[in-house]
């Protein structure tokens, strides 16, 4: 697999072409784009890695491939905006007025009929589920253990969550519970991609703080912060919050001593359908698991087993790239966060374990006239469609000199080694709105070791305890507008974009150090660029 993943890189190196990860691309030389297109679509056509993933795009003609290579090559001209840069979500980009609903707009290129489905999906996304039995049978099934009653209560205004605080009871950050394999059989299951890790034997895969009447919750997350002072090159001192996590009031006994606790902030929902349609080959082309080019960046994919098909596939959603599709991501959230069964996860009692007998004794919300699960296929169809078509807002101030200067610094500091600016989605997508779109997510969707400062110690599939998927940056500048706060990283420890950058370690250390070493004017310009996304 590694040899095949390296092939596009070796092809470019052998012909004097720039590596995809190189933050300072030079003009193509040696081969023309057209010749490169023919090579990449014929010599590689149909090639697959051992996981069964195509290592080349079979959806493009040589002419299309040449266009894709040309348009996704990172720019070296920072004197003006790039073509189509404002439309960072392709033709579906939302150009509506920027306000608190900036992340809740439908893709602008869906049909009138599809917009109706989007609105129905939105209603289900906002729906509060209730405990069984109730008079509103179609809403039955909450819990019995849960974190929230509705999807929207976690993804606030379709944006990011926030860490728990004394003045807010809304839960939008969770504690994932897991342990590594401890026996030969368990290790074989991990190696065979049958499981990602193993749940706590009592509390399952996630701490559920809330419960239906007559049942007690599993406990409550506690976050304590310490201060870590960082001196920058110009003498500026920045205070970073260093969190520590504990669980108060465990309701069903102690955790297993080998269980790790990982906080996860709910991420923004925009652009998910576009991410889903980025060709696996284009993501794999950025992988360099052995760091063969010696640049200190060794992104790798999280190869997982698709729950529905049973086939190995590329994980691209979640903080550890542990989920392959939006539908599965929604099913996992219904199961773990709300306690609702779906065709994909038909667990009527959610994350209740056999050790939580009182939970399993509670009634479920299955209505035979509606199907065999609490959220049947029509519900999942609409919620999935809604999640796939939340539009990315248009860029702002792309021609501002400070933004352009900040963009150049972002490239020069090597940030695009992980935060890949552009992709072109696949042709022939199920929904035409996502087909052959130039998009600007600023992510490679690969796993990177971010160092001990951000490590959670939790293994998820092929992701180690210090590896995280590169999060897309589009929309990041509207976080405060939409959510009224600016909490970043997987656990919201960073209160500003500057703090988020300074937490980068491991593969991000060099870029972080370059940022820290520059003067205030350059730092402000780079932040202004990020705020324009």
């Amino acid at each position: 697999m590694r040899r095949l993943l390296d092939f596009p890189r070796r092809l470019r190196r052998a012909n004097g072409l720039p590596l995809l990860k190189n933050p300072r691309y030079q003009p193509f030389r040696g081969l023309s784009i057209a010749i490169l297109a023919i090579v990449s679509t014929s010599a590689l056509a149909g090639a697959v890695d051992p996981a069964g993933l195509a290592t080349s795009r079979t959806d493009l003609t040589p002419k299309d491939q040449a266009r894709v290579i040309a348009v996704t090559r990172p720019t070296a001209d920072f004197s003006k905006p790039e073509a189509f840069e404002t439309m960072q979500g392709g033709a579906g980009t939302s150009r509506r007025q920027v306000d608190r609903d900036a992340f809740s707009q439908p893709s602008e290129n869906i049909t009138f009929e599809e917009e109706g489905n989007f609105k129905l999906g939105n209603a289900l996304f906002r729906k509060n589920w209730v405990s069984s039995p109730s008079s509103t049978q179609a809403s039955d099934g909450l819990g019995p253990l849960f974190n929230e009653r509705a999807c929207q209560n976690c993804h606030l205004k379709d944006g990011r969550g926030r860490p728990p605080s004394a003045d807010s009871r809304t839960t939008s950050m969770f504690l994932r519970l897991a342990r590594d394999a401890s026996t030969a059989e368990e290790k074989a299951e991990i190696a065979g991609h049958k499981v990602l890790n193993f749940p706590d034997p009592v509390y399952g895969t996630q701490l559920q703080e809330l419960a239906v009447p007559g049942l007690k919750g599993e406990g409550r997350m506690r976050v304590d912060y310490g201060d870590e002072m960082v001196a920058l090159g110009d003498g500026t001192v920045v205070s970073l919050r260093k969190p520590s996590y504990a669980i108060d009031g465990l309701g069903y006994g102690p955790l297993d001593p080998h269980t790790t606790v990982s906080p996860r902030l709910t991420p923004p929902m925009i652009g998910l359908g576009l991410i889903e349609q980025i060709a696996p080959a284009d993501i794999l082309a950025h992988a360099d698991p052995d760091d063969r080019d010696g640049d200190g960046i060794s992104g790798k994919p999280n190869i997982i087993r698709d729950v529905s098909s049973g086939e190995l596939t590329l994980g691209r959603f979640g903080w550890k790239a542990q989920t392959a599709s939006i539908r599965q991501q929604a099913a996992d959230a219904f199961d773990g966060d709300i306690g609702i069964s779906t065709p994909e996860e038909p667990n009527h009692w959610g994350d209740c374990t056999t050790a939580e007998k009182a939970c399993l004794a509670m009634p479920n919300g299955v209505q035979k006239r509606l199907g065999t699960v609490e959220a049947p296929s029509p519900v999942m169809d609409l919620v999935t469609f809604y999640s796939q078509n939340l539009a990315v807002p248009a860029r702002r101030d792309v021609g501002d000199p400070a933004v352009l200067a900040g963009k150049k610094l972002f490239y020069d500091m090597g940030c695009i080694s992980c935060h890949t600016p552009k992709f072109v989605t696949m042709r022939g997508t199920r929904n035409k709105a996502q087909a052959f779109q130039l998009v600007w997510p600023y992510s490679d969707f690969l796993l990177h070791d971010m160092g001990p400062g951000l490590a959670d110690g939790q293994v998820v599939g092929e992701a180690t305890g210090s590896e995280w998927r590169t999060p897309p940056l589009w929309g990041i500048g509207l976080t405060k507008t939409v959510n009224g706060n600016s909490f970043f990283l997987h656990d919201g420890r960073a209160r500003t974009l500057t703090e988020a950058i300074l937490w980068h370690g491991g593969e991000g250390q060099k870029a972080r150090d370059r940022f820290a070493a520059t003067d205030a004017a350059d730092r402000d310009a780079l932040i202004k660029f990020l705020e324009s996304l």
Side-chain angles (χ1 to χ4, degrees):
M1 175 177 176
R2 287 177 176 174
R3 184 173 179 80
L4 284 167
L5 289 178
D6 193 50
F7 189 89
R9 301 172 59 78
R10 289 186 287 111
L11 175 66
R12 287 170 169 77
R13 186 182 288 113
N15 290 285
L17 297 174
L19 296 178
L20 288 173
K21 294 196 310 177
N22 192 335
R24 297 173 183 262
Y25 278 68
Q26 301 299 319
F28 280 91
R29 59 188 186 275
L31 290 181
S32 70
I33 292 175
I35 294 175
L36 175 62
I38 293 171
V39 172
S40 62
T41 55
S42 59
L44 286 178
V48 294
D49 66 13
L53 303 179
T55 58
S56 63
R57 291 190 64 165
T58 57
D59 63 314
L60 301 179
T61 65
K63 183 177 180 180
D64 280 346
Q65 181 76 8
R67 291 171 59 197
V68 168
I69 291 171
V71 77
T72 58
R73 184 171 67 233
T75 186
D77 180 5
F78 301 97
S79 65
K80 62 184 183 298
E82 297 175 69
F84 312 113
E85 190 170 6
T86 301
M87 303 292 285
Q88 59 181 343
T93 300
S94 172
R95 289 169 287 186
R96 301 191 183 187
Q97 182 177 350
V98 171
D99 55 22
R100 288 203 66 203
D101 293 320
F103 290 172
S104 300
Q105 304 303 321
S107 299
E108 291 202 359
N109 58 343
I110 61 175
T111 66
F112 180 78
E113 180 183 0
E114 289 172 333
E115 191 168 343
N117 290 334
F118 179 89
K119 291 176 179 177
L120 289 172
N122 184 20
L124 290 167
F125 200 77
R126 293 172 177 271
K127 170 182 177 176
N128 280 305
W129 295 81
V130 297
S131 56
S132 305
S134 76
S135 59
T136 56
Q137 293 183 353
S139 298
D140 274 14
L142 178 68
L145 294 167
F146 61 98
N147 288 108
E148 271 297 349
R149 297 174 179 270
C151 305
Q152 184 72 210
N153 295 350
C154 301
H155 297 277
L156 309 174
K157 303 293 289 183
D158 302 296
R160 73 179 64 235
R162 58 173 298 155
S165 63
D167 60 350
S168 175
R169 302 301 297 170
T170 299
T171 301
S172 49
M173 188 169 84
F174 312 114
L175 288 180
R176 288 288 176 86
L177 310 175
R179 62 177 179 81
D180 295 345
S182 59
T183 66
E185 291 77 9
E186 289 181 344
K187 290 177 182 177
E189 288 186 77
I190 294 284
H193 300 279
K194 294 181 179 179
V195 296
L196 296 171
N197 50 34
F198 295 91
D200 183 85
V202 173
Y203 294 94
T205 62
Q206 183 169 301
L207 182 76
Q208 279 88 27
E209 297 191 355
L210 305 176
V212 299
L215 192 68
K216 59 184 176 182
E218 293 181 322
R220 188 164 292 277
M221 178 194 332
R222 187 180 80 242
V223 189
D224 298 311
Y225 293 103
D227 292 325
E228 190 168 293
M229 311 308 290
V230 176
L232 305 185
D234 62 1
T236 302
V237 177
V238 178
S239 175
L240 303 182
R241 295 194 307 173
K242 185 174 183 179
S244 60
Y245 295 91
I247 302 174
D248 291 332
L250 282 167
Y252 300 89
L255 291 172
D256 184 280
H258 299 103
T259 294
T260 56
V261 174
S262 178
R264 306 289 176 84
L265 199 72
T266 51
M269 299 284 292
I270 56 172
L272 298 183
L274 296 167
I275 295 171
E276 194 170 41
Q277 297 306 326
I278 295 173
D282 287 352
I283 294 175
L284 294 176
H286 292 269
D288 185 17
D290 296 323
D291 190 21
R292 296 190 180 192
D293 61 2
D295 67 351
I297 308 297
S298 52
K300 71 179 187 184
N302 199 355
I303 303 300
I304 62 172
R305 193 169 296 280
D306 183 80
V307 175
S308 300
S309 68
E311 300 295 324
L312 292 179
T313 188
L314 178 68
R316 61 180 77 198
F317 298 107
W319 285 104
K320 299 248 183 181
Q322 72 271 17
T323 309
S325 70
I326 297 169
R327 191 181 187 97
Q328 187 60 49
Q329 185 86 344
D332 290 344
F334 269 126
D335 178 51
D337 302 341
I338 310 178
I340 296 295
S341 57
T342 63
E344 290 74 20
E345 299 292 341
N347 309 311
H348 306 320
W349 292 271
D351 195 33
C352 294
T353 68
T354 55
E356 296 171 313
K357 297 187 179 353
C359 180
L360 297 176
M362 292 287 178
N364 63 62
V366 174
Q367 309 295 329
K368 289 185 178 180
R369 61 187 176 82
L370 300 176
T372 59
V373 292
E374 294 158 330
S377 290
V379 171
M380 288 299 297
D381 291 343
L382 291 168
V383 170
T384 300
F385 185 83
Y386 173 74
S387 302
Q388 288 171 331
N389 287 283
L390 283 161
V392 180
R395 281 280 305 278
R396 299 154 312 285
D397 304 321
V398 292
D400 185 303
V403 170
L404 290 169
K407 179 181 176 182
K408 184 177 188 302
L409 288 164
F410 189 82
Y411 281 52
D412 288 348
M413 288 180 183
C415 302
I416 67 166
S417 294
C418 301
H419 291 283
T420 303
K422 295 175 281 185
F423 289 93
V424 173
T425 60
M426 294 183 288
R427 285 197 182 278
T429 59
R430 179 176 297 181
N431 187 333
K432 292 182 180 180
Q434 280 103 39
F436 209 54
Q437 297 295 309
L438 171 63
V439 297
W440 308 66
Y442 284 92
S443 172
D444 61 6
F445 305 101
L446 296 171
L447 298 169
H448 294 275
D449 189 326
M450 295 304 294
L454 291 178
D456 66 345
Q458 192 167 104
V459 174
V460 182
E462 297 190 8
T464 69
S466 59
E467 289 179 328
W468 300 94
R469 182 200 71 154
T470 307
L473 297 181
W474 52 15
I476 198 167
L478 294 176
T479 300
K480 191 167 186 177
T481 299
V482 172
N483 294 126
N485 64 67
S486 298
F487 296 114
F488 302 108
L489 302 177
H490 68 281
D491 57 1
R493 70 177 67 187
R495 295 158 295 187
T496 65
L497 291 169
T498 294
E499 289 183 27
I501 296 169
L502 293 176
W503 271 110
H504 282 51
E507 296 176 46
Q509 187 73 44
K510 289 182 181 179
R512 176 260 182 220
D513 290 348
R514 291 172 187 139
F515 174 80
T518 194
D519 58 32
D522 281 350
R523 294 197 305 272
D524 289 345
L526 190 145
I527 296 301
K528 192 162 186 177
F529 162 68
L530 293 176
E531 290 175 343
S532 77
L533 297 179

